Amino acid sequence: MPDPLVPAPLVPDPGVPYPFVRRVSHRLLGDMLRMTLSAALHYDLTLEEGRTLSRAFTAVAHDWRRTDFLYLSPVGMDGDFSAAVHAEGVDVDTGAAPHHLSWDDVRELAERLATE
């Protein structure tokens, strides 16, 4: 039986390109943002966490040399978001091979996390 406190994963539309952000509902935390980077990789963020990550993405997209690492520990999930920043974009730590986000992906996520 599924845990009633854990939101059910949304099945992404195969026609929707990754990455994308969608609003989801959590039984205890209310409205949240689900940042989906691939079919197997997503992060559930409170609205404030989404805006915080949006500001971080905007800052590194503007001048990637100012930081070499991004980190966020979302309250709505067990894992954390950590990513290395470099000249070609952002590499999200997945526990296995890093998931690369191009600068276009980073800017798109920044915009969606701020406005969704």
Side-chain angles (χ1 to χ4, degrees):
M1 180 169 170
D3 185 341
L5 299 180
V6 176
L10 295 176
V11 176
D13 180 349
V16 176
Y18 297 103
F20 64 88
V21 175
R22 144 180 333 171
R23 199 174 276 250
V24 296
S25 182
H26 187 281
R27 183 175 157 191
L28 296 176
L29 299 173
D31 283 346
M32 297 186 74
L33 299 175
R34 177 162 292 160
M35 178 177 69
T36 304
L37 304 183
S38 72
L41 183 61
H42 73 273
Y43 297 88
D44 289 341
L45 310 167
T46 65
L47 299 181
E48 189 56 38
E49 289 168 341
R51 276 136 190 84
T52 298
L53 193 54
S54 170
R55 289 189 295 272
F57 280 159
T58 299
V60 298
H62 178 71
D63 186 358
W64 64 270
R65 291 172 293 254
R66 297 226 177 223
T67 190
D68 55 0
F69 198 74
L70 299 174
Y71 180 83
L72 180 71
S73 181
V75 298
M77 55 186 298
D78 291 333
D80 57 359
F81 175 86
S82 59
V85 178
H86 52 83
E88 292 79 35
V90 172
D91 288 338
V92 180
D93 181 7
T94 66
H99 182 85
H100 180 72
L101 296 173
S102 69
W103 288 122
D104 287 340
D105 292 338
V106 170
R107 284 187 281 276
E108 177 72 17
L109 286 169
E111 180 180 334
R112 295 291 171 225
L113 289 168
T115 60
E116 191 63 40

